[in-house]
């Protein structure tokens, strides 16, 4: 059996040498992911500032901070929007086509990114309500970018380097986090030097200058720029040949589009496609027994691993502030003015991104087509499990000041193996193993399962990690099980992720049609004809 069900246009894509259009597609899809990461993570840089500006209490020894329910809403509403967007736009991408929906998600992201910074009102309730409203819709647009970017990149790629190309799109997340941190550092340094202010403990009122209100707004709005720059290119991209041929059933247009892209002559083979599609009994839907038999375990594998990974990945961020404060990267809040605190938080997050987050993504890009998705995901989960237990069991040892550096190194390694591991592979694999007509939908379901894990990780552990002594828990929070026990729970979650990885098939070096079974569908159609 020849690969790709004998359709010449799909064979041409599978066997194409790495060309300029591959890199163009990575940049176009990757800039969307740069914006996704910038927008989702930059809120953590400005939440302390929002607390100082809008929730200052006169006479308090500590600067103002967001109440627990407001903090949860501001940080979590974009995640909820992302989950909804992944499901909706994944389904829509399979119905209308990848390209048609791709422009909608980008415009939604750009408009809501700008609108977030324009959140109106002078009272805390008005500002926070409008900020949450726009961040929900921002998340909705970001959610659409996950299944569409992954599907477009997988359908454009050749089978030899497909994993690296999809992972490269995802790796732009690292640069988005880094870009957010660097821009926040620049803005904070500029405003801090221009508008001098004393620390909070010297003068609580003057420590937050009125101009601080511009800082968080500018940081949130600038996220729209990279994506806006690629809008025209997104609109000019042709629809993927796999959607045009296998879903829209138009082999002639698929061949014409790809002839231009690959700069070779491709025969259209419309009659052959019509015969296969007419005779094939394999046009099963997502909720059919046939899908359950062929791909049920695969979907369980992609959803469960992404869900478990994101619980661990997003909850790790909770411990950052404790770690940064413990090693002196972030001094006590009362010793800084409002803008200088933004500078210190951004600097700490940028260092973590630079040292562990970004390198982890690019290790995956360079090795995924050599050692395979399964191996990288398995190693990643195992190493994350080990490092979580290494942090958890001797937790009291790590909290002593002389061991802080060791704690940061082990903590950074868990981030490194998340990114050189399941954080990248859970994004790549769902774009490769399902049929073209359900590919974006199944990727959207897998990604939404991940975001559900992120919500559990970010908010469940916010309460769970609180001190067991009610007097030592953060203001407004009930007592939890403590950081040590939370780290043990996370280690167990990573261990479960290791086991669930065995449900996910290896797709290295195989064509998309071979992985999804469409090869067999088309060939059986030809046999019966």
């Amino acid at each position: 059996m020849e690969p790709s069900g004998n359709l010449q246009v799909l064979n041409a894509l599978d066997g194409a040498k790495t060309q300029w259009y591959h890199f163009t597609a990575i940049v176009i899809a990757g800039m969307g992911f740069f914006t996704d990461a910038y927008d989702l993570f930059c809120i953590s840089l400005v939440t302390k500032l929002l607390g100082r500006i809008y929730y200052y209490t006169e006479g308090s020894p500590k600067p103002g901070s967001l109440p627990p329910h407001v903090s949860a809403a501001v940080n979590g509403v974009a995640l909820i929007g992302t989950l909804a967007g992944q499901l909706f736009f994944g389904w829509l991408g399979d119905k209308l086509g990848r390209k048609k929906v791709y422009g909608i998600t980008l415009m939604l992201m750009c408009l809501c990114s700008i609108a977030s910074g324009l959140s109106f009102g002078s009272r805390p309730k008005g500002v926070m309500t409008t900020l949450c409203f726009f961040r929900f819709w921002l998340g909705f647009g970001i959610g659409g970018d996950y299944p569409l970017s992954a599907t477009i990149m997988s359908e454009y790629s050749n089978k030899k380097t497909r994993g690296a190309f999809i992972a490269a799109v995802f790796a732009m997340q690292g640069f988005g986090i880094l870009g957010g941190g660097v821009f926040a550092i620049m803005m904070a340094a500029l405003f801090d030097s221009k508008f001098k202010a004393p620390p909070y403990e010297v003068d609580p009122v003057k420590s937050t200058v009125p101009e601080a209100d511009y800082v968080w707004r500018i940081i949130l709005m600038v996220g729209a720029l990279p994506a806006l720059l690629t809008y025209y290119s997104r609109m000019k991209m042709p629809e993927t040949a796999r959607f045009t041929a296998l879903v829209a059933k138009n082999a002639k247009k698929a061949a014409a589009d790809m002839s231009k892209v690959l700069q070779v002559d491709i025969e259209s083979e419309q009659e052959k496609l019509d015969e296969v599609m007419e005779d094939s009994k394999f046009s099963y839907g997502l909720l059919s027994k046939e899908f359950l038999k062929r791909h049920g375990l695969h979907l369980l594998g992609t959803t469960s691993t992404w869900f478990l990974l994101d619980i661990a990945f997003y909850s790790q961020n909770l411990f950052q502030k404790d770690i940064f404060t413990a090693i002196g990267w972030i001094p006590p809040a009362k010793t800084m003015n409002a803008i200088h605190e933004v500078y210190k938080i951004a600097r700490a997050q940028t260092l973590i991104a630079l040292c562990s987050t970004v390198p982890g993504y690019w290790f995956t890009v360079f090795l995924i087509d050599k050692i395979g998705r399964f191996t990288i995901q398995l190693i990643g989960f195992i190493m994350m499990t080990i490092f979580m237990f290494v942090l958890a069991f001797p937790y009291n040892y790590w909290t002593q000041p002389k061991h802080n550096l060791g704690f940061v190194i082990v903590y950074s390694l868990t981030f490194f193996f998340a990114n050189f591991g399941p954080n990248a592979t859970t994004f790549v694999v769902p774009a490769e193993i399902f049929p073209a007509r359900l590919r974006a939908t199944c990727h959207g379901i897998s990604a939404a399962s991940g975001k559900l894990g992120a919500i559990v990780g970010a908010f469940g552990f916010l309460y769970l990690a609180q001190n067991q002594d009610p007097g030592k828990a953060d203001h407004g929070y009930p007592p939890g099980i403590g950081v040590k026990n939370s780290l043990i729970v996370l280690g167990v979650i990573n261990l479960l992720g290791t086991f669930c990885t065995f449900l996910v098939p290896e797709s290295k070096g195989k064509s998309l049609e071979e992985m999804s079974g469409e090869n067999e569908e088309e060939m059986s159609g030809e046999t019966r004809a």
Side-chain angles (χ1 to χ4, degrees):
M1 189 200 305
E2 274 184 50
S4 308
N6 289 337
L7 267 189
Q8 198 185 356
V9 65
L10 304 186
N11 285 341
L13 278 166
D14 278 339
K17 287 191 174 78
T18 300
Q19 294 172 37
W20 184 247
Y21 85 89
H22 286 124
F23 295 110
T24 310
I26 289 170
V27 170
I28 293 167
M31 273 303 134
F33 257 85
F34 181 98
T35 295
D36 295 352
Y38 182 104
D39 287 335
L40 279 181
F41 288 91
C42 72
I43 195 72
S44 63
L45 303 173
V46 298
T47 44
K48 299 263 190 199
L49 181 60
L50 290 170
R52 284 188 186 236
I53 295 170
Y54 295 106
Y55 291 91
Y56 164 66
T57 309
E58 204 172 330
S60 169
K62 287 182 178 177
S65 62
L66 297 179
H69 66 284
V70 176
S71 178
V74 168
N75 286 299
V77 74
L79 294 176
I80 295 164
T82 305
L83 190 155
Q86 284 162 337
L87 292 170
F88 177 72
F89 286 115
W91 169 79
L92 205 60
D94 282 335
K95 291 284 172 235
L96 303 181
R98 295 38 164 146
K99 184 201 164 178
K100 276 184 185 168
V101 185
Y102 212 28
I104 301 170
T105 61
L106 192 80
M107 280 320 292
L108 192 57
M109 276 157 49
C110 293
L111 290 171
C112 293
S113 199
I114 293 164
S116 297
L118 298 174
S119 298
F120 38 83
S122 54
R123 312 190 85 152
K125 195 173 182 182
V127 175
M128 295 303 146
T129 304
T130 49
L131 178 62
C132 288
F133 174 81
F134 290 124
R135 281 191 66 79
F136 173 84
W137 292 107
L138 170 67
F140 195 67
I142 288 172
D145 227 43
Y146 273 73
L148 294 169
S149 288
T151 303
I152 284 170
M153 204 62 239
S154 78
E155 293 183 346
Y156 260 108
S157 302
N158 59 47
K159 63 183 180 183
K160 193 177 168 191
T161 53
R162 185 179 62 236
F165 289 160
I166 305 170
V169 169
F170 193 63
M172 293 299 281
Q173 260 201 347
F175 288 124
I177 297 167
L178 197 60
V182 169
F183 184 72
I185 288 170
M186 286 161 53
M187 289 309 299
L190 185 71
F191 273 74
D192 204 19
S193 64
K194 191 88 174 152
F195 307 102
K196 298 284 183 196
Y200 183 86
E201 60 188 356
V202 174
D203 190 328
V205 177
K206 287 184 181 170
S207 71
T208 307
V209 293
E211 289 79 8
D213 200 43
Y214 294 120
V215 175
W216 71 268
R217 293 176 185 275
I218 294 167
I219 290 170
L220 293 187
M221 288 163 78
V222 162
L225 283 178
L228 271 176
L229 295 173
T230 60
Y231 181 73
Y232 177 75
S233 306
R234 273 198 188 197
M235 293 297 89
K236 296 295 282 180
M237 274 177 99
E239 181 56 86
T240 71
R242 286 182 160 94
F243 180 85
T244 309
L246 300 174
V247 185
K249 303 178 177 57
N250 188 343
K252 196 173 179 182
K253 187 168 185 339
D257 285 346
M258 290 308 111
S259 293
K260 281 183 207 161
V261 169
L262 298 170
Q263 296 176 327
V264 291
D265 287 329
I266 298 171
E267 198 186 323
S268 80
E269 304 180 296
Q270 184 65 50
E271 286 172 15
K272 180 191 282 189
L273 182 69
D274 288 344
E275 277 176 37
V276 172
M277 291 297 179
E278 205 177 300
D279 287 338
S280 177
K281 65 167 188 181
F282 292 97
S283 53
Y284 52 84
L286 181 68
L287 302 175
S288 64
K289 280 184 184 172
E290 191 65 32
F291 178 86
L292 192 66
K293 190 174 91 179
R294 288 167 173 267
H295 299 291
L297 281 178
H298 297 162
L299 190 59
L300 178 63
T302 58
T303 50
S304 60
T305 50
W306 208 336
F307 174 75
L308 294 165
L309 173 272
D310 270 9
I311 292 177
F313 189 73
Y314 278 79
S315 60
Q316 277 181 18
N317 295 328
L318 291 179
F319 309 121
Q320 275 191 14
K321 66 178 191 325
D322 302 326
I323 291 160
F324 294 155
T325 305
I327 59 170
W329 281 7
I330 301 178
K334 64 182 181 179
T335 63
M336 298 178 281
N337 67 45
I339 295 173
H340 193 62
E341 188 177 30
V342 173
Y343 174 86
K344 290 283 191 183
I345 294 168
R347 192 185 67 168
Q349 291 213 2
T350 304
L351 281 167
I352 286 283
L354 203 55
C355 299
S356 63
T357 310
V358 173
Y361 282 123
W362 289 97
F363 262 75
T364 304
V365 172
F366 292 122
L367 292 172
I368 193 166
D369 288 311
K370 291 184 174 68
I371 63 176
R373 290 78 165 137
F374 177 82
T375 308
I376 289 177
Q377 186 161 310
L378 199 63
I379 291 170
F381 267 129
I382 289 169
M383 296 309 283
M384 285 171 75
T385 307
I386 292 167
F387 288 129
M388 280 292 181
F389 287 146
V390 166
L391 288 176
F393 290 113
Y395 184 68
N396 296 333
Y397 168 87
W398 293 119
T399 51
Q400 294 165 24
K402 60 182 176 183
H403 302 134
N404 281 338
L405 183 62
F407 191 104
V408 171
I409 291 167
V410 177
Y411 177 77
S412 295
L413 282 168
T414 60
F415 263 107
F416 174 81
F417 279 104
N419 293 316
F420 175 49
N423 196 33
T425 53
T426 50
F427 177 80
V428 173
V429 175
E432 300 182 306
I433 63 176
F434 299 107
R437 64 184 173 275
L438 300 170
R439 189 167 288 134
T441 305
C442 290
H443 194 285
I445 292 168
S446 305
S449 173
K451 277 295 164 282
L452 189 61
I455 292 163
V456 171
F459 303 108
F461 278 85
L462 191 61
Y463 288 89
L464 210 59
Q466 293 299 324
N467 202 297
Q468 289 165 296
D469 177 354
K472 291 180 183 173
D474 288 349
H475 179 66
Y477 290 92
I481 62 170
V483 173
K484 177 179 176 169
N485 292 332
S486 296
L487 287 167
I488 293 170
V489 172
L490 290 176
V492 172
I493 285 166
N494 287 325
L495 191 61
L496 286 174
T498 309
F499 296 135
C500 290
T501 297
F502 288 94
L503 295 171
V504 181
E506 178 57 77
S507 47
K508 176 175 76 109
K510 294 177 181 173
S511 78
L512 294 177
E513 288 66 42
E514 202 179 331
M515 283 309 300
S516 64
E518 284 161 303
N519 235 349
E520 173 198 327
E521 295 172 18
E522 291 176 17
M523 288 306 291
S524 5
E526 281 179 27
T527 311
R528 282 195 308 277

